[in-house]
Amino acid sequence: MTASLSSVSVVFGREFRAYFATPLAAIFLVVFLALAGAMTFFVSGFFARGSADMAAFFTWMPWLFLVLLPAIGMRLWAEERRSGTIELLMTMPVAPWTIVLGKFLAGWAFTGVALALTTPLWITVNWLGSPDNGVIVAGYLGTFLMAGAFLAIAACISTLTKNQVIAFISAAIVTFILVTAGLELVLGAIRGWAPYWMTEAVAALSVLEHFQRITQGLIEAPTLIFFGSLIVLALMINTFLVDLKKAQ
Amino acid sequence: MTTLVEAHGLKKRFGDMTAVDDVSLSVSRGEVVGFLGPNGAGKSTTMKMITGFLEPDTGTAQIGGHDVWRDPAAAKAKLGYLPEGAPAYGDMPVADFLTFCGKMRGLRKAQLNNRLAEMAERVRLTEVWSRPIEALSKGYRRRVGIAQALIHDPDILVLDEPTDGLDPNQKHEMRNLIREIAPNKSIIVSTHILEEVEAVCSRAVIIASGKVVADATPRDLVGSKDDGRAIQIRIGSPEEASVIEKIKPLADGAELEVMERINGSTRVLLRYNDKPEDTRAIETRLKSADLPVEEVGIYRPRLEDVFRDVTTRIH
Ligand SMILES: Nc1ncnc2c1ncn2[C@@H]1O[C@H](COP(=O)(O)OP(=O)(O)OP(=O)(O)O)[C@@H](O)[C@H]1O
Ligand SMILES: [Mg+2]
């Protein structure tokens, strides 16, 4: 077990540093912050709303992450397969799941860095008024969990191709479907013809539904289980696919 | 002697094509096996199965007594592997990459630092130690790959074309390195350079179309074809075909075979069913017929000839 944990941390260290080995990471963080800022201040009218909370910021997160996390996850396995380094990795005396987990955690930590850089907004809100900081903490928790789920899906999909662009686009499409599953627009379209259980199943898959509840400050078991199981399931499929696809 | 690598009946198909067809191989401690074969013969595929990267359709492989599929962690711990093309993380400096590989292999602290220092010195990486791998020349990249395979001082080494892309001095050093570490290890090296096999390998295994077609010491391989029943001549003329026609009636009923053509001269074999008569007599006969014939003598095959012979036959 300690050996497994230590290989998770060795992989994590390499992958996390790899994000900063190119200027891409910096570009990424800047784009994320610029978009998050633009959406919050200009589109949602942060100041005009006149309320001291971060709802204007969190509302946009699912839509930003839809693009951001496939971009963070796309290289995790596609690049490994393209360059052939997967052959080195998979002949190391460690369990494949430890590599899958280490890579995932590195991407997640990178997302954490991006989120941490938005805290000036939180400080500003506190400076302007007296917000319910509990709700904001819940909002960050929900955002981080959602990021984990999107990233796990992106990592999983990146095992299927050697091309990062294809990995990016496919992951963005899958994530888009997950986000929009709960929209009335989509549910309405299904409801007309599909049986009740199917509509319910699609609605239950909705990231938006769970995300909105947690950003209102409701930290509930079903939401935690929803994001947690999405992550675990995607990582399990990831481990399976790596083994299946590594030599092709 | 302990057998450190034991592969049995390895088979692998890709779609309709059988890439490796029933390959068995066992390597003892102290042996260096040269793995030879034409392009696409299945060398890399066999190595991938032995190292536990690729699962064979049928067959088993054991490394240091551990089955690579049933007990992968134990088997892989004893293995150092240089995959074809020496893949590495291009964005990492050499030092970081080797540190990563060492840590993945369970090395820590002082032990890791000792091994890193030894690799820097032995594989001669000091000069490029802190440069990113993608900025290195092909030869240096290959050396980083070798260092990565050796970092944990494994009992078993599988090297897929380790000298590809090295300059002659580097090739020489690589051979010395392999020879130096060989006594305590089992080493499998694939290569297209036959002199290398004669220089470092205690055994040569030749595969063609996925099957083992020869497995012996380089000396025995050459010896097996060296029955003194053929005469080799060199024709120093571009009109080789007409010269060969003229040689035929003078050759005591030998079967003629063109071996190779280099720089406008052609090496021709006269094969006999029995030991040929006096080569001198044949030489005199050919020369008096005014044919452009040089170097008449009993044929002593080289490894290259044996290689061509066993890999171009129809199986
Ligand atoms: N992943 C794969 N999918 C389909 N075919 C493959 C795959 N890998 C190898 N092959 C085929 O298997 C055969 C053996 O390939 P292999 O790479 O083992 O040859 P090799 O002996 O290493 O050749 P070389 O000397 O060129 O390195 C080739 O015909 C190759 O095209
Ligand atoms: Mg090969």
Side-chain angles (χ1 to χ4, degrees):
Chain A
M1 196 60 209
T2 50
S4 295
L5 286 182
S6 101
S7 74
V8 171
S9 81
V10 174
V11 173
F12 173 87
R14 196 208 86 72
E15 293 290 337
F16 189 68
R17 248 170 280 142
Y19 280 110
F20 297 95
T22 62
L24 210 67
I27 294 171
F28 232 70
L29 291 174
V30 169
V31 169
F32 169 69
L33 293 176
L35 283 177
M39 298 294 188
T40 308
F41 291 107
F42 302 118
V43 184
S44 293
F46 177 75
F47 291 113
R49 291 174 74 233
S51 67
D53 62 38
M54 286 180 68
F57 167 75
F58 288 125
T59 319
W60 291 103
M61 287 299 112
W63 306 101
L64 276 182
F65 279 10
L66 189 64
V67 185
L68 195 73
L69 284 140
I72 293 175
M74 66 186 181
R75 52 168 283 281
L76 287 178
W77 293 99
E79 184 57 19
E80 227 41 89
R81 282 186 58 196
R82 192 195 57 77
S83 68
T85 42
I86 193 166
E87 207 162 338
L88 290 180
L89 270 190
M90 301 314 266
T91 50
M92 298 282 186
V94 302
W97 69 263
T98 61
I99 302 172
V100 170
L101 186 60
K103 278 174 170 283
F104 165 76
L105 290 177
W108 209 14
F110 182 74
T111 320
V113 171
L115 277 181
L117 292 176
T118 65
T119 45
L121 187 66
W122 190 358
I123 296 166
T124 311
V125 172
N126 272 284
W127 184 61
L128 291 175
S130 45
D132 184 341
N133 282 315
V135 173
I136 295 177
V137 169
Y140 270 112
L141 175 70
T143 308
F144 192 54
L145 280 175
M146 180 177 65
F150 288 6
L151 177 68
I153 290 165
C156 187
I157 287 173
S158 87
T159 60
L160 297 173
T161 170
K162 294 181 184 178
N163 185 324
Q164 294 196 34
V165 177
I166 295 176
F168 171 79
I169 294 169
S170 321
I173 291 171
V174 172
T175 318
F176 180 77
I177 292 169
L178 268 186
V179 170
T180 53
L183 289 182
E184 204 39 54
L185 190 71
V186 176
L187 289 181
I190 300 177
R191 212 172 269 129
W193 52 271
Y196 176 73
W197 64 265
M198 196 163 155
T199 324
E200 284 304 289
V202 170
L205 267 181
S206 166
V207 168
L208 271 189
E209 173 73 20
H210 290 286
F211 182 68
Q212 273 156 8
R213 289 184 71 81
I214 200 167
T215 48
Q216 282 156 17
L218 303 164
I219 304 177
E220 299 163 317
T223 303
L224 301 181
I225 292 169
F226 174 76
F227 286 120
S229 47
L230 260 183
I231 293 172
V232 172
L233 186 69
L235 292 182
M236 279 163 60
I237 297 174
N238 189 338
T239 309
F240 171 77
L241 286 178
V242 165
D243 198 48
L244 191 74
K245 288 289 192 177
K246 63 186 178 186
Q248 286 177 13
Chain B
M1 261 198 295
T2 17
T3 306
L4 294 182
V5 180
E6 181 84 70
H8 194 77
L10 293 176
K11 227 176 235 193
K12 187 76 199 178
R13 299 176 65 91
F14 292 112
D16 282 343
M17 204 261 308
T18 306
V20 174
D21 192 0
D22 200 17
V23 167
S24 299
L25 181 69
S26 84
V27 190
S28 310
R29 195 185 287 278
E31 268 193 305
V32 180
V33 170
F35 210 36
L36 311 175
N39 291 130
K43 301 180 295 295
S44 298
T45 308
T46 305
M47 288 176 146
K48 283 175 192 179
M49 290 192 281
I50 290 174
T51 55
F53 178 65
L54 190 65
E55 191 162 11
D57 296 339
T58 55
T60 56
Q62 288 193 340
I63 298 266
H66 304 281
D67 188 292
V68 291
W69 290 102
R70 258 177 274 147
D71 194 0
K76 288 170 182 176
K78 299 195 166 189
L79 170 81
Y81 176 37
L82 172 72
E84 187 166 37
Y89 297 110
D91 55 7
M92 289 178 108
V94 174
D96 291 7
F97 176 66
L98 294 179
T99 305
F100 168 72
C101 294
K103 283 186 174 169
M104 287 296 275
R105 300 266 179 200
L107 300 176
R108 289 293 182 277
K109 299 191 180 105
Q111 204 189 4
L112 177 62
N113 289 330
N114 287 343
R115 291 300 301 166
L116 286 170
E118 190 175 340
M119 287 300 109
E121 203 227 331
R122 267 197 132 160
V123 194
R124 302 201 186 249
L125 289 169
T126 321
E127 262 174 69
V128 297
W129 198 240
S130 46
R131 273 204 244 155
I133 294 171
E134 65 198 355
L136 302 183
S137 69
K138 189 175 165 192
Y140 268 110
R141 244 179 273 171
R142 184 81 25 161
R143 276 144 79 180
V144 171
I146 307 265
Q148 160 278 125
L150 283 171
I151 188 85
H152 53 303
D153 195 19
D155 273 354
I156 294 108
L157 263 181
V158 176
L159 309 173
D160 202 345
E161 302 192 21
T163 55
D164 182 35
L166 299 191
D167 67 43
N169 297 338
Q170 286 308 323
K171 278 190 183 128
H172 182 74
E173 278 186 33
M174 187 56 60
R175 287 172 207 167
N176 283 345
L177 177 67
I178 292 176
R179 235 180 273 131
E180 248 169 68
I181 59 176
N184 301 314
K185 301 187 191 303
S186 283
I187 305 180
I188 305 176
V189 259
S190 79
T191 178
H192 289 296
I193 305 164
L194 296 172
E195 59 187 85
E196 198 157 283
V197 177
E198 286 171 310
V200 298
C201 298
S202 52
R203 228 169 95 205
V205 173
I206 305 180
I207 70 169
S209 316
K211 288 197 174 76
V212 176
V213 290
D215 181 349
T217 66
R219 186 189 295 262
D220 286 350
L221 271 183
V222 173
S224 67
K225 298 287 167 192
D226 189 5
D227 51 10
R229 286 203 212 153
I231 289 177
Q232 173 183 321
I233 59 178
R234 193 176 289 284
I235 301 173
S237 155
E239 280 112 43
E240 126 207 337
S242 67
V243 176
I244 287 174
E245 280 313 309
K246 286 181 197 147
I247 292 175
K248 265 188 188 160
L250 304 172
D252 293 338
E255 200 180 302
L256 268 72
E257 184 188 327
V258 174
M259 292 283 289
E260 63 182 357
R261 301 180 177 88
I262 326 169
N263 303 334
S265 89
T266 311
R267 211 148 66 94
V268 176
L269 269 196
L270 313 183
R271 282 189 194 279
Y272 294 89
N273 291 329
D274 222 326
K275 283 218 189 314
E277 308 170 37
D278 193 4
T279 50
R280 281 278 172 72
I282 293 174
E283 183 171 5
T284 329
R285 218 184 299 154
L286 293 176
K287 289 211 166 137
S288 59
D290 221 15
L291 290 168
V293 167
E294 305 154 7
E295 295 176 31
V296 178
I298 291 288
Y299 167 59
R300 296 286 170 224
R302 297 168 304 171
L303 192 54
E304 216 180 302
D305 303 325
V306 178
F307 178 84
R308 194 174 312 125
D309 190 49
V310 298
T311 57
T312 52
R313 223 184 282 151
I314 292 140
H315 300 284

